[in-house]
Amino acid sequence: MTTASLPGRYPEIYDAARRDPEAFWLEAAGALDWAQEPAQAFAPKSGPYGRWFPDGTLNACHNAVDRHAEGARAEQAAILYDSPVTGTKRSSGYRELRDSVTALAAVLAELGVGKGDRVVLYMPMVPEALFGMLACARLGAVHSVVFGGFAANELAVRIEDAAPKVVLAASCGLEPNRVVAYKPLLDLAIATSRHKPEACLILQRPQCAASLVAGRDHDWAETVAAAEAAGKQAACVAMAATDPLYVLYTSGTTGKPKGVVRDTGGYLVALAWSMPNLYGVQPGETYFCASDIGWVVGHSYIVYAPLLHGCTTVLYEGKPVGTPDAGAFWRVVAEHGVVCLFTAPTALRAIKKEDPSGSLIGDYDLSVFRSLFLAGERADPDSVAWAERVLGRPVIDHWWQTETGWPIAGNPLGLGLLAVKHGSTCVPMPGYTVAVLDEGGKPVPPGTMGTIAIRLPLPPGCLPTLWGSDARMHSSYLATFPGYYDTSDAGVIDADGYITVLGRTDDIINVAGHRLSTGGMEAVLAGHPDVAECAVIGIRDALKGEVPCGFVVLKARVDRAPADIERELVAKVRDEIGPVAAFKLALTVQRLPKTRSGKILRATMKRIADHEPWTMPATIDDAAVLDEIDASLKGRGIGAD
Ligand code: COA
Ligand code: AMP
């Protein structure tokens, strides 16, 4: 398989990074302001597989904000906050952003936050959340953002692992159908966690006032206003390129979530490279990533990449549909002059469902809009073809993970668009040597399915390690195939070098572009006093891609109505993991299908639920159990003809 014969500048650029990574990445590093320029791109002997820019020092906030805050970009909008859920729009220029971030950093410094300290953020999509992330970066503190759709327990696990000195939170988030009071969840999380932050800074939103805990909680607006009035400022602290910028927790296979560490220098270099070369976006243009700052996509392409590149970033607090309609994204694109939109395929499916002919697009002037990028889950060819048709612009599927921080593969629009193959995420980005391996770790021929792995070292931007555990980094990603990073995604590379990602090889499912562990859900179900054993699988869903479905076997002497227990189980997952799990389906069954050695046959259950052809596993203990599973699914209208 080879990408050498592809058109445009891609083959030459990809090859340059492969032949001489030192020269390639040192040149890419020139896009940043360094306190001390790196002389070396890669140090192979440090960390679990090496570290990028070992002798460079820089500050992420300086690069994203301060260097644009004087001169030509001072008055250019840095953040365009557009919130249909509150009916608010607000633009902050780069100078104003610098001043807001500086004041907040001064407040954090007064609360004792300094280089290397952790700060957890539990915040909705408001500008203050970005100020918080950037203020941490300014001080060299490590931020850890927790998505607002996670429940108190998930927040507690993250607080306990990250051990933050301070938590930044808002009183509430706003979902179209309800106000989500964050503060009670934060209080519960702190009460549950063994680690207690010293202080919390609470942004009071008019939709819901939070009560403050005396001695611990501070009112955000008052504290920042006082710092501003007193002229307090905090300077950018020069950090080693290898110092962590943030920790972002992501679902692991069972057990506690993994704290993905993001270094400072390598990450910023990779993001800066991606903006013109992958996304084809120039400084001064407006970029709209419709994700959430709680996810990696939000960290990279709502916050750091557009700001680094001197773009205007759109911060959208709303949904693709229902706020108020399926034309919402097109309104934002038209109103703010967006050149590039990045969203999840599920959002596109939601829009397509409400506006199948794309008629709402005609209501808006999209003349400056150039491209739509999709990621977060497999982009189904139908939706991609639909979007191409109704938008008349390139629709580009690209593949990445929380761990990698930027795309592994995509169609590099800025280097010259390659032929689009629906269903494929196109070619590897520079620095990624991608292989499909068989179970024994041997590369398979083109067109053959296997586990997708990335040959070490990973390029700049990817995780150097897991928070607090090089050993877990090794066992989770590096041990399976020596010399490779195991992506836990299965897929195929074709003869042109195009990568197609087909699904996970572990217990992770992707629900509406959100990454969730079925093992984590099983642990919650198993904690119910009436449940003897359980299995959670992801079943196909036309809108969300997959949704979880839990099968439970009740304990022998339980005589309560199964429907009542099922309702409790649904509520339990919502309470303990969060609404984002979208766990709405619990099914009581007499038995679970197992192999003779006691392994639950989840893959076969999934094929039955998805109404896909399946064969009887040779090792099954009792074949009749699969019929029972089939019948219980059909009883709920799932998997029926
Ligand atoms: N805070 C609190 N609750 C949240 C939340 C947040 N930040 N985000 C989602 N939720 C809640 C939702 O309100 C919903 O609750 P409900 O069960 O009471 O209805 C639940 O979590 C599930 O949310 P979701 O799966 O997002 O479904 P939805 O029906 O609300 O919306 C889509 C469906 C397709 C519109 C929506 O999933 C979407 O926009 N997806 C794109 C995801 C994305 O951008 N991912 C980033 C990857 S790049
Ligand atoms: P997350 O860490 O939340 O970004 O989720 C990463 C996982 O989402 C990957 O391992 C894939 O399983 C899936 N994913 C992300 N982007 C794509 C894509 N473009 N095509 C297929 N799967 C994707």
Side-chain angles (χ1 to χ4, degrees):
M1 72 203 89
T2 172
T3 51
S5 57
L6 294 172
R9 290 174 57 223
Y10 167 77
E12 159 209 332
I13 299 284
Y14 181 78
D15 196 47
R18 192 186 54 76
R19 267 187 293 108
D20 191 350
E22 279 286 313
F24 183 89
W25 291 113
L26 282 175
E27 190 186 331
L32 303 179
D33 275 5
W34 296 82
Q36 184 185 307
E37 299 253 345
Q40 188 186 358
F42 188 64
K45 294 222 169 350
S46 37
Y49 67 86
R51 294 276 175 141
W52 288 96
F53 306 109
D55 57 353
T57 64
L58 76 173
N59 181 276
C61 180
H62 168 80
N63 275 282
V65 182
D66 291 55
R67 66 173 172 154
H68 308 307
E70 299 296 340
R73 293 201 195 292
E75 308 304 328
Q76 179 197 310
I79 302 173
L80 279 171
Y81 169 56
D82 187 312
S83 168
V85 290
T86 59
T88 316
K89 287 175 201 164
R90 200 161 98 208
S91 162
S92 316
Y94 269 102
R95 180 182 293 140
E96 193 187 338
L97 173 62
R98 193 239 354 241
D99 294 346
S100 303
V101 171
T102 305
L104 182 57
V107 167
L108 289 176
E110 289 220 321
L111 292 172
V113 175
K115 187 171 173 172
D117 289 330
R118 272 80 57 213
V119 174
V120 161
L121 286 87
Y122 189 51
M123 299 199 61
M125 292 282 285
V126 292
E128 287 81 356
L130 274 64
F131 303 166
M133 294 165 76
L134 293 162
C136 291
R138 190 171 195 85
L139 298 171
V142 180
H143 60 71
S144 189
V145 183
V146 180
F147 178 62
F150 281 124
N153 181 52
E154 293 287 324
L155 178 58
V157 170
R158 287 155 174 78
I159 289 177
E160 191 156 308
D161 198 61
K165 201 165 237 177
V166 170
V167 174
L168 303 180
S171 58
C172 64
L174 299 167
E175 285 298 287
N177 55 356
R178 66 189 190 286
V179 173
V180 183
Y182 283 180
K183 188 57 180 10
L185 300 173
L186 173 62
D187 289 341
L188 181 58
I190 293 175
T192 324
S193 163
R194 275 173 298 181
H195 172 83
K196 312 288 177 199
E198 289 168 22
C200 300
L201 200 57
I202 308 296
L203 180 74
Q204 297 281 17
R205 303 190 79 191
Q207 295 78 10
C208 162
S211 57
L212 302 186
V213 174
R216 187 196 74 190
D217 296 348
H218 304 263
D219 180 276
W220 185 305
E222 282 172 15
T223 319
V224 172
E228 275 168 346
K232 290 191 178 146
Q233 298 200 342
C236 290
V237 174
M239 304 296 291
T242 52
D243 280 337
L245 175 62
Y246 64 78
V247 176
L248 181 58
Y249 288 87
T250 189
S251 305
T253 48
T254 63
K256 67 175 186 181
K258 294 169 180 160
V260 168
V261 173
R262 191 75 61 214
D263 67 5
T264 306
Y267 181 54
L268 300 186
V269 169
L271 294 185
W273 185 90
S274 72
M275 286 300 282
N277 296 303
L278 172 57
Y279 296 99
V281 171
Q282 302 310 320
E285 294 187 319
T286 303
Y287 187 92
F288 173 21
C289 174
S291 177
D292 187 287
I293 49 145
W295 307 117
V296 65
V297 168
H299 280 66
S300 296
Y301 290 103
I302 295 173
V303 187
Y304 287 107
L307 295 179
L308 271 181
H309 200 46
C311 291
T312 299
T313 185
V314 176
L315 180 69
Y316 176 71
E317 189 182 26
K319 302 274 172 180
V321 293
T323 58
D325 58 28
F329 280 4
W330 321 129
R331 175 194 61 79
V332 172
V333 167
E335 217 170 289
H336 304 304
V338 169
V339 299
C340 179
L341 166 64
F342 177 170
T343 190
T346 190
L348 206 58
R349 289 194 295 269
I351 294 169
K352 182 170 81 160
K353 189 166 165 226
E354 303 260 307
D355 181 23
S357 64
S359 63
L360 292 171
I361 296 170
D363 294 350
Y364 301 99
D365 174 6
L366 303 190
S367 48
V368 302
F369 178 55
R370 294 197 296 263
S371 59
L372 170 65
F373 280 78
L374 300 173
E377 57 177 316
R378 182 166 156 71
D380 55 289
D382 281 357
S383 300
V384 175
W386 175 82
E388 283 173 340
R389 198 175 64 248
V390 296
L391 288 170
R393 287 161 176 79
V395 176
I396 298 176
D397 181 15
H398 61 330
W399 167 51
W400 49 311
Q401 307 186 317
T402 304
E403 288 84 348
T404 65
W406 69 295
I408 305 164
N411 197 329
L413 184 61
L415 298 177
L417 191 71
L418 305 177
V420 174
K421 297 188 191 181
H422 290 167
S424 166
T425 60
C426 209
V427 292
M429 290 298 98
Y432 288 103
T433 307
V434 181
V436 175
L437 306 178
D438 66 16
E439 279 177 7
K442 276 206 357 240
V444 299
T448 311
M449 185 163 147
T451 298
I452 315 181
I454 303 167
R455 186 180 278 285
L456 295 174
L458 293 169
C462 296
L463 81 171
T465 189
L466 288 174
W467 183 247
S469 184
D470 283 356
R472 194 171 180 207
M473 168 78 187
H474 190 266
S475 62
S476 301
Y477 303 108
L478 310 179
T480 329
F481 304 115
Y484 290 93
Y485 163 88
D486 177 5
T487 67
S488 293
D489 274 319
V492 177
I493 303 181
D494 73 11
D496 296 326
Y498 277 48
I499 299 167
T500 296
V501 182
L502 294 164
R504 298 280 305 196
T505 59
D506 56 10
D507 77 335
I508 300 292
I509 56 170
N510 208 309
V511 181
H514 306 135
R515 173 169 160 177
L516 295 156
S517 155
T518 54
M521 292 184 221
E522 288 180 2
V524 173
L525 300 183
H528 189 287
D530 294 341
V531 170
E533 59 177 344
C534 63
V536 175
I537 57 171
I539 62 177
R540 195 183 294 147
D541 182 80
L543 176 65
K544 298 193 178 189
E546 276 181 308
V547 288
C549 169
F551 295 86
V552 293
V553 177
L554 301 180
K555 286 180 181 161
R557 281 184 299 279
V558 173
D559 56 5
R560 301 174 56 216
D564 289 342
I565 298 171
E566 288 167 6
R567 259 193 303 278
E568 288 167 13
L569 292 170
V570 167
K572 194 165 157 41
V573 174
R574 193 177 172 94
D575 281 354
E576 292 183 31
I577 295 179
V580 69
F583 183 86
K584 312 244 158 143
L585 196 59
L587 295 178
T588 307
V589 291
Q590 294 303 315
R591 304 176 288 176
L592 292 173
K594 292 185 185 167
T595 62
R596 281 187 284 276
S597 60
K599 231 173 139 234
I600 298 173
L601 291 161
R602 292 182 182 79
T604 313
M605 292 163 78
K606 177 172 169 52
R607 294 190 81 81
I608 293 172
D610 288 346
H611 206 214
E612 280 187 4
W614 57 276
T615 46
M616 185 64 68
T619 54
I620 194 162
D621 182 40
D622 180 350
V625 187
L626 287 174
D627 293 333
E628 293 167 20
I629 295 292
D630 196 16
S632 84
L633 284 163
K634 287 194 173 126
R636 303 287 176 97
I638 301 160
D641 286 315

